[in-house]
Amino acid sequence: MKPGPRNLITDVAGLRVGNAQDAALRSGVSVLTADRPFTAAVHVMGGAPGTRETDLLAPDKLVESVDALVLSGGSAFGLDAASGVMAGLRALGRGFAVGPALVPIVPAAILFDLLNGGDKDWAENPYAGLGRAALAAAAEDFAIGSAGAGFGALTGRLKGGLGSASAVLESGFTVGALVAVNALGSATVGEGRQFWAAPWELGAEFGGLGPASAYPAQAEPLPMKRMGEATTIAIVATDAALTKAQAHRLAVAAHDGMARALVPSHTPLDGDLVFAAATGARPLTDPLTDPFQLGHAASACLARAIARAVFAATPRPGDRQPCWQDLR
């Protein structure tokens, strides 16, 4: 596989991503939307998730497609970002038709960034406005690092951020990942600069340093955050035509990429979650090989996107953690 032309999830044709953030708040929102509704699913492996409208993504539920997916900071307050996205989509005439009414379908997931030093003493929840602004900014090109839902993200050691990556398979399918990294675990090995995700790096997309020479396999890490303060939330996407059940399996497989890139991951203190999105532009040609390869590509893309999030994070006054670029 090779990266797409942007090395972003928007290399999946028809997808767009918008970011909005508030510097004083030290938080933000990222929205994935598309030219038309798309198939979506979700899989949660963390012990402390925060979600909205995820039950309807189960294969046996009525709604077959969604209009957008939202990743947000703000803990439970950030779930209101989906309300702003819904309002924006409704104004565009988008939504699930129920008689003359249109109801945009916008599942969302949040991360905890309430203790990162930002001004959280608001009089009115700001996340609906950030959600609508992120939708309005949706485009094929978007910023990673300290942007959108990753604007105020932290990890166990370094600043987190927003990451993305893509891959084009020999079969012609495109796969991409978008992730907000606010993990309890670390994206880098020990005290060094090498990333856990190095074996899956394509080119020098997060520094080209290669794998660490030694791994602290005997380490017994202690949690650097408390219950509910950590979460990595992600979206993997493809142009393949998948059912909701197949998209769910794609999300399950993508969690391997999280475990490859963050150590430890899927802890009781994290809310680790992966959405899967499928635009349906390319039919499957082999019902066994295609889903098998798509799952592998999704996990590799997510691992790369996590490393790129931390690699691209930038410093700001008042930071409580250093950036990867500050390491020597």
Side-chain angles (χ1 to χ4, degrees):
M1 67 182 74
K2 60 183 180 181
R6 299 179 187 85
N7 202 14
L8 299 173
I9 195 171
T10 48
D11 287 326
V12 176
L15 296 185
R16 301 186 302 280
V17 170
N19 291 326
Q21 55 273 328
D22 183 317
L25 187 66
R26 282 186 183 261
S27 188
V29 175
S30 297
V31 175
L32 176 83
T33 190
D35 298 335
R36 58 188 62 84
F38 53 92
T39 300
V42 68
H43 186 62
V44 180
M45 287 191 68
T51 60
R52 170 171 165 161
E53 295 275 51
T54 51
D55 283 353
L56 60 78
L57 299 181
D60 63 328
K61 298 303 185 286
L62 173 66
V63 175
E64 289 294 328
S65 57
V66 307
D67 297 289
L69 296 170
V70 174
L71 307 180
S72 179
S75 189
F77 298 104
L79 292 174
D80 203 32
S83 297
V85 175
M86 287 182 69
L89 288 166
R90 185 172 181 270
L92 296 172
R94 294 281 300 271
F96 182 74
V98 185
L102 290 176
V103 183
I105 307 300
V106 185
I110 51 87
L111 57 81
F112 184 98
D113 57 5
L114 299 181
L115 302 180
N116 63 3
D119 180 8
K120 307 302 194 294
D121 189 25
W122 59 72
E124 182 176 343
N125 189 328
Y127 285 95
L130 285 169
R132 187 152 187 174
L135 177 68
E140 291 179 337
D141 291 304
F142 61 94
I144 64 171
S146 300
F151 187 79
L154 306 173
T155 73
R157 179 180 174 226
L158 302 171
K159 281 189 72 171
L162 187 76
S164 193
S166 70
V168 180
L169 284 62
E170 289 187 1
S171 60
F173 292 111
T174 300
V175 174
L178 177 72
V179 61
V181 182
N182 190 63
L184 183 148
S186 176
T188 51
V189 181
E191 298 299 315
R193 304 176 76 229
Q194 280 88 359
F195 287 93
W196 287 107
W200 290 272
E201 186 175 16
L202 298 181
E205 60 187 343
F206 43 89
L209 301 180
S213 57
Y215 293 100
Q218 76 284 1
E220 299 179 11
L222 293 173
M224 302 300 291
K225 299 182 181 182
R226 295 170 294 183
M227 181 72 74
E229 292 183 9
T231 292
T232 297
I233 48 179
I235 304 168
V236 293
T238 180
D239 54 359
L242 301 180
T243 65
K244 288 172 73 176
Q246 289 171 322
H248 177 258
R249 292 306 309 175
L250 189 72
V252 171
H255 271 285
D256 288 352
M258 200 176 292
R260 293 168 182 170
L262 294 166
V263 178
S265 61
H266 304 139
T267 77
L269 310 184
D270 287 283
D272 296 343
L273 171 151
V274 177
F275 289 112
T279 66
R282 298 177 62 91
L284 299 180
T285 58
D286 187 312
L288 175 63
T289 301
D290 288 341
F292 178 89
Q293 292 185 335
L294 289 169
H296 170 67
S299 64
C301 275
L302 183 51
R304 293 163 49 217
I306 289 169
R308 293 190 79 207
V310 175
F311 175 75
T314 52
R316 293 189 65 248
D319 279 349
R320 298 193 170 184
Q321 287 182 318
C323 292
W324 179 90
Q325 64 181 254
D326 296 327
L327 300 178
R328 296 291 183 267

